[in-house]
Amino acid sequence: MMPKTIIFLLLLNLSSVFGQDILNREVVIHVKDLPVKNVLDQISETTGVYFTYAGNLSVMEKKVSLNIDRISLHKLLADLFYGEEIIYTCYSNQVILKRKPTPIKSFTIRGVLIASGSDQPVEFASMQFKQSGKGSVAAIDGKFEISATSKDLDDSIAVFCIGFEPRVFSVKYLVSLDYHKIYLIARPLALDTVEFVAKRPITERAGNRGIATGSLYLDTHGQQVALYIENRKNVSGRFKKVNFYLSGKGNTDAPFRIRIYGVNDSLGCPGEELLPDIIVVKPNERRGWFEVDISGYNIRFPGNGAFVAMEGVYPGDYAHFINTTNFDKEETGESSGEISEGTLDYGQRIGFNRFSGNNTWHYSVSNTWFQLNRKLFNVMISAEILVHSSKKIKIRSHEDSSDFLSEFSNFLADYFGAMW
Amino acid sequence: MLGTAFNLKANEIQSINELTVTEGKVIFSKNSSPLEKIVEKGKKASVSMNKETIDLENITDENFLSWKTRILKFRETPFIEVAKKLSDFYGISFTVTDSALKNEPFSTTIINQSADDIVKILQMANDNIEVIKTESGYNIGKKK
């Protein structure tokens, strides 16, 4: 008896041959001023070959006259669609018609980001395509290089950097020039109130602040690791700082992006993005806790908790490093302190421990979020939440605005901490 | 009945009876009512239980006899309608999950082909769609 696998392979082969064979069928056709789509219907009636296409193909409305007694379907289709940018493939008794794909043209957008007024380069600004979401990070000297294709021409690129006003440029404009000098304006402190009554806030610390038992590697092309921070006391407050315990074994030079997410109610994984801007930071510490003040973003700490995440980014076009991850380099130890392309094919390592009650999620560009084993890999991320207490302070404005600003600054220092 | 080919379809939920005639003429009447109409080839008649008229209209759906002919024809038909017909025809769900795809026209003729073949043809015809097989059928959306 013939094994089942062999029978299957034979059938598959016959099907494939049948698919191509239909193009050899002979057609007789006599039509006058008939739209191509009706010609195809006539061909179907006489040959048993059917035509499939998606979208509106303008050639279908084109009227043709044919007076042919005998021609192969292959040759007839070649004549019908001559010069029409149509391609076709076969499957079973179907001919599938498609527009010939437009060749994709590549562009490289280059330039430098400069702080307006000081002419100093702006380091590690993020540049992100608004529609596709892909992005890049400028280097320490403010220089950037972004790859784009003709598919991106209707998109725009937003430039973000902490402490500066964001700017948005159309891709069409960016590809029209060889090199760009983009000036970013420092974000001014907005004081828009004259009388101020507020409750004195207290700071609650939440998350995983235990002792590290190991560290997790984070690559530099979009991998993320997130810790769920529960709102155990159901406090009403806002994020003041987020903290990351960075291992000295990672690339301590590597910048990373901070992300904050709400909870996806159905899956329990990171959901809605709560941090509106792209914040990329470069740690200055060799190891240990690295804190970032995000109080200026006024992000509410949700009642059902939130995820604080770090994302590996590459200054320049990080796509360059996809598939070149070298895990052997993760233990190289001391860093040079310099940012150069060669040192950034691997990123930070974040500490973890067996801290219970929280949970850690992981995301890589090719996968969706998945939860790591909660007992073993709880990454050391924490957050400080400003919670309002019942004690109130009151500040009144003065005729002299400098006195008011001084008093207001004291209040802000009390309210927000060292940042002010 | 006057020597004909026709199809009678009853929708119990909406209490509507529909008659479509492909050959000859059919007399269509409502039970316990003097109401009746002659329905000719190419016409569709419908009557509802709570209505005292019989509505007549031309048959516009090329696929109204697909259950019998096993042939489905779509001519630049919005994708959402194609999915609905495929669901009826194969008895499994074809769900369009991307609103940008719903009104995209699609043309094909399907004769005695399996649902899996149809999905393959859909994907070959449109490079931008992604089909996910589910327990109840297929979800069709745009590639991310």
Side-chain angles (χ1 to χ4, degrees):
Chain A
M1 193 172 84
M2 192 178 283
K4 281 182 182 174
T5 49
I6 294 178
I7 293 170
F8 170 73
L9 288 172
L10 282 172
L11 288 174
L12 192 71
N13 197 33
L14 285 172
S15 165
S16 168
V17 169
F18 180 62
Q20 291 303 315
D21 185 51
I22 60 175
L23 291 176
N24 294 327
R25 293 194 187 174
E26 289 193 335
V27 182
V28 176
I29 190 150
H30 299 274
V31 294
K32 193 175 179 189
D33 288 336
L34 199 65
V36 168
K37 62 182 179 186
N38 299 112
V39 172
L40 295 181
D41 284 342
Q42 283 206 10
I43 295 171
S44 296
E45 281 175 22
T46 57
T47 62
V49 176
Y50 299 92
F51 297 89
T52 296
Y53 53 94
N56 289 311
L57 301 180
S58 56
V59 65
M60 293 299 165
E61 303 301 328
K62 184 178 153 187
K63 289 184 177 173
V64 292
S65 297
L66 300 166
N67 201 7
I68 303 170
D69 283 332
R70 200 171 171 184
I71 189 171
S72 72
L73 181 55
H74 176 68
K75 189 154 186 332
L76 177 59
L77 292 178
D79 288 348
L80 265 181
F81 298 123
Y82 179 76
E84 291 291 345
E85 302 288 311
I86 296 288
I87 55 171
Y88 51 88
T89 52
C90 301
Y91 180 78
S92 185
N93 61 346
Q94 296 278 344
V95 174
I96 294 134
L97 303 163
K98 282 195 288 195
R99 280 191 195 92
K100 197 181 279 185
T102 314
I104 296 173
K105 198 175 169 190
S106 297
F107 306 94
T108 303
I109 301 164
R110 294 186 182 87
V112 62
L113 300 171
I114 298 167
S116 185
S118 71
D119 282 346
Q120 292 298 307
V122 177
E123 63 180 34
F124 301 133
S126 300
M127 307 184 74
Q128 190 169 33
F129 289 81
K130 293 189 97 176
Q131 288 171 28
S132 69
K134 65 182 180 179
S136 181
V137 178
I140 196 167
D141 57 1
K143 288 182 179 167
F144 64 86
E145 198 169 293
I146 303 168
S147 298
T149 70
S150 44
K151 284 183 173 178
D152 298 315
L153 287 177
D154 293 329
D155 206 342
S156 52
I157 294 178
V159 183
F160 296 94
C161 188
I162 195 162
F164 291 90
E165 294 286 352
R167 295 192 69 184
V168 178
F169 300 90
S170 77
V171 175
K172 273 184 191 151
Y173 164 72
L174 291 173
V175 299
S176 68
L177 297 173
D178 291 336
Y179 197 81
H180 295 269
K181 273 188 175 178
I182 294 178
Y183 289 88
L184 299 181
I185 300 165
R187 193 197 296 261
L189 174 65
L191 300 175
D192 57 355
T193 182
V194 289
E195 185 165 339
F196 205 100
V197 178
K199 295 174 182 178
R200 182 185 294 275
I202 57 167
T203 301
E204 289 278 351
R205 184 173 275 173
N208 182 4
R209 298 286 295 192
I211 296 168
T213 55
S215 59
L216 279 179
Y217 162 81
L218 194 72
D219 72 23
T220 56
H221 45 260
Q223 207 172 54
Q224 294 183 56
V225 63
L227 182 78
Y228 170 63
I229 297 180
E230 189 181 357
N231 189 348
R232 285 184 185 175
K233 297 178 183 173
N234 198 24
V235 296
S236 170
R238 295 181 185 277
F239 280 95
K240 180 182 177 186
K241 291 175 182 172
V242 286
N243 304 272
F244 304 86
Y245 187 88
L246 304 174
S247 163
K249 291 180 179 175
N251 183 349
T252 54
D253 279 339
F256 64 89
R257 178 177 170 184
I258 295 167
R259 306 189 78 148
I260 300 179
Y261 300 98
V263 179
N264 179 318
D265 289 334
S266 54
L267 301 174
C269 65
E272 180 194 3
E273 189 133 25
L274 302 180
L275 184 56
D277 284 359
I278 299 176
I279 301 179
V280 176
V281 290
K282 179 186 174 296
N284 295 316
E285 307 296 330
R286 295 260 177 215
R287 59 172 293 181
W289 284 103
F290 174 67
E291 75 173 27
V292 184
D293 193 321
I294 56 165
S295 53
Y297 289 94
N298 215 20
I299 302 164
R300 193 178 66 81
F301 184 44
N304 60 345
F307 287 90
V308 177
M310 62 189 289
E311 174 186 352
V313 293
Y314 183 77
D317 185 6
Y318 66 67
H320 174 67
F321 275 89
I322 286 176
N323 298 327
T324 62
T325 307
N326 184 348
F327 286 87
D328 295 336
K329 289 188 180 177
E330 65 186 34
E331 295 297 339
T332 51
E334 294 297 309
S335 64
S336 65
E338 295 288 319
I339 295 289
S340 66
E341 206 172 74
T343 63
L344 281 169
D345 52 352
Y346 66 100
Q348 297 280 350
R349 290 181 72 102
I350 183 153
F352 67 76
N353 57 26
R354 293 172 185 242
F355 187 79
S356 63
N358 291 289
N359 61 61
T360 295
W361 290 72
H362 186 273
Y363 179 89
S364 63
V365 173
S366 56
N367 294 307
T368 51
W369 286 103
F370 66 93
Q371 191 172 10
L372 298 178
N373 185 322
R374 70 165 60 198
K375 286 180 182 170
L376 298 177
F377 300 110
N378 268 307
V379 290
M380 294 173 64
I381 294 175
S382 69
E384 292 175 33
I385 310 295
L386 279 170
V387 181
H388 294 291
S389 71
S390 57
K391 187 177 177 184
K392 291 182 181 178
I393 61 169
K394 189 174 182 180
I395 296 173
R396 284 186 179 281
S397 67
H398 296 266
E399 292 298 321
D400 183 336
S401 61
S402 62
D403 285 348
F404 166 68
L405 285 174
S406 169
E407 195 167 339
F408 190 71
S409 290
N410 289 337
F411 166 74
L412 291 175
D414 191 24
Y415 194 95
F416 289 111
M419 177 185 175
W420 303 93
Chain B
M1 207 187 326
L2 308 171
T4 62
F6 64 94
N7 179 36
L8 185 63
K9 193 171 155 188
N11 183 326
E12 289 178 14
I13 297 168
Q14 295 172 324
S15 301
I16 295 173
N17 289 322
E18 276 182 5
L19 174 83
T20 45
V21 179
T22 51
E23 291 296 334
K25 294 177 185 176
V26 173
I27 295 174
F28 187 48
S29 62
K30 189 177 175 183
N31 277 346
S32 63
S33 162
L35 212 55
E36 68 172 40
K37 264 191 183 171
I38 295 176
V39 187
E40 296 180 338
K41 175 185 175 182
K43 298 277 183 189
K44 180 171 87 171
S46 58
V47 64
S48 116
M49 290 305 162
N50 48 19
K51 205 170 163 188
E52 282 306 313
T53 55
I54 293 174
D55 297 325
L56 268 184
E57 58 185 306
N58 291 325
I59 298 169
T60 51
D61 180 5
E62 211 177 353
N63 295 313
F64 78 99
L65 272 181
S66 61
W67 61 274
K68 183 180 169 190
T69 61
R70 308 308 294 165
I71 298 171
L72 278 173
K73 281 186 185 178
F74 301 107
R75 292 288 172 268
E76 292 168 4
T77 310
F79 206 75
I80 187 78
E81 287 178 32
V82 174
K84 189 175 177 304
K85 277 285 171 197
L86 291 175
S87 301
D88 290 345
F89 190 76
Y90 288 102
I92 54 174
S93 81
F94 284 78
T95 308
V96 183
T97 55
D98 195 319
S99 56
L101 200 58
K102 287 182 178 172
N103 291 319
E104 197 160 304
F106 191 77
S107 306
T108 191
T109 300
I110 295 162
I111 297 179
N112 285 327
Q113 273 164 321
S114 69
D116 282 342
D117 274 347
I118 301 311
V119 168
K120 173 100 179 164
I121 290 164
L122 288 176
Q123 287 177 303
M124 287 174 78
N126 192 335
D127 295 330
N128 296 320
I129 68 166
E130 184 174 62
V131 181
I132 297 168
K133 198 165 187 174
T134 65
E135 281 184 8
S136 57
Y138 300 92
N139 285 347
I140 305 163
K142 283 218 164 189
K143 276 183 189 165
K144 303 293 177 208

